[in-house]
Amino acid sequence: MSGSSKGYAHQVFNRNTLAAPKSVIARIQSELDAIRLIDLGARATLVCQLTGVDKKIVRRLYRQLTGASSAPGLTPFTDAWYIQDNRLMLHASVVWKLYRQTTAFVHSAARQLIAVYQAYVSLVKTPLLDITRVHFATRLVTTQSWQERVFPECRTNYLAPVERLELPCYGCILYFDQRCRHCQSILHNKGRGRPLKHCQSCGLIL
């Protein structure tokens, strides 16, 4: 959390005593969640949806924490952006695994997204999904637009659109794009000039 976010969160928490009614404490917690979501890059619309904090309050928090107004626009409504690149689908599958792991002990939608996103950016070397894309990837599964599958060759769980369940594991696609399926040797000239028809090591057809 940035320094400005910590300072404002401290102000929010200390507006009331620890003996405040549960409703007040819940409101403070929601505002703290909103601050953390904004700090992680969430837009005001998504923050309102997840925390239930009033739009005016969220917009004010956003301006105070970032020095600018939140960009307009809603969350994505199709999976077209993800399925254009196998790497994006691979990252979405990682996010879904993290989501399932946090469901048992995080019961707030806002705090679960915070936990999943923080784990995701810590786990992968180069994150490809921002917090909005992370949230929507989980929504595509919970709304049954995507399904979790197990690829028999690597026995890895991965996500696939319901209309394309025959798709193989994205990790395997990326892996064998650079290696021979027979001997696992690296295909040194893959992607350069004419496409390779035979493995340079074992000689079998690719």
Side-chain angles (χ1 to χ4, degrees):
M1 186 178 291
S2 65
S4 60
S5 300
K6 288 181 179 178
Y8 194 81
H10 184 74
Q11 293 177 27
V12 169
F13 186 78
N14 285 285
R15 287 201 302 238
N16 302 277
T17 66
L18 294 177
K22 290 184 179 180
S23 60
V24 175
I25 295 175
R27 178 175 59 79
I28 293 172
Q29 182 61 62
S30 295
E31 290 187 20
L32 292 174
D33 291 341
I35 291 169
R36 187 62 183 135
L37 286 168
I38 293 170
D39 199 46
L40 293 173
R43 294 183 180 182
T45 302
L46 180 58
V47 174
C48 292
Q49 291 175 354
L50 295 176
T51 64
V53 177
D54 185 79
K55 289 183 180 180
K56 291 182 179 179
I57 296 176
V58 171
R59 288 170 182 167
R60 186 181 73 246
L61 288 172
Y62 196 97
R63 286 193 300 270
Q64 290 176 331
L65 296 173
T66 67
S69 297
S70 176
L74 301 174
T75 56
F77 53 89
T78 73
D79 61 2
W81 182 83
Y82 300 89
I83 62 178
Q84 67 180 332
D85 191 323
N86 290 324
R87 295 174 302 164
L88 299 176
M89 289 300 296
L90 181 61
H91 280 232
S93 297
V94 171
V95 163
W96 175 247
K97 290 179 183 179
L98 294 171
Y99 179 87
R100 284 196 293 106
Q101 291 171 0
T102 58
T103 298
F105 61 87
V106 182
H107 304 294
S108 158
R111 270 164 270 168
Q112 185 169 21
L113 177 58
I114 292 168
V116 169
Y117 185 70
Q118 288 180 320
Y120 164 67
V121 297
S122 298
L123 182 64
V124 301
K125 184 176 180 180
T126 305
L128 300 179
L129 311 181
D130 62 20
I131 194 168
T132 301
R133 299 290 184 181
V134 165
H135 169 68
F136 192 62
T138 63
R139 287 280 298 159
L140 285 166
V141 186
T142 57
T143 57
Q144 299 183 344
S145 295
W146 287 354
Q147 286 185 12
E148 187 173 20
R149 311 286 290 174
V150 178
F151 193 52
E153 290 190 24
C154 64
R155 298 180 181 179
T156 298
N157 293 53
Y158 69 104
L159 299 177
V162 291
E163 68 276 8
R164 300 178 66 186
L165 294 178
E166 76 285 355
L167 288 175
C169 163
Y170 307 103
C172 289
I173 293 174
L174 294 169
Y175 181 81
F176 287 115
D177 188 52
Q178 302 296 328
R179 289 181 178 269
C180 173
R181 288 183 173 272
H182 308 290
C183 68
Q184 312 296 312
S185 297
I186 297 175
L187 303 175
H188 295 286
N189 295 325
K190 190 72 180 286
R192 300 178 184 176
R194 293 182 179 180
L196 292 176
K197 295 183 179 180
H198 298 82
C199 172
Q200 303 104 318
S201 297
C202 68
L204 294 176
I205 298 175
L206 297 174

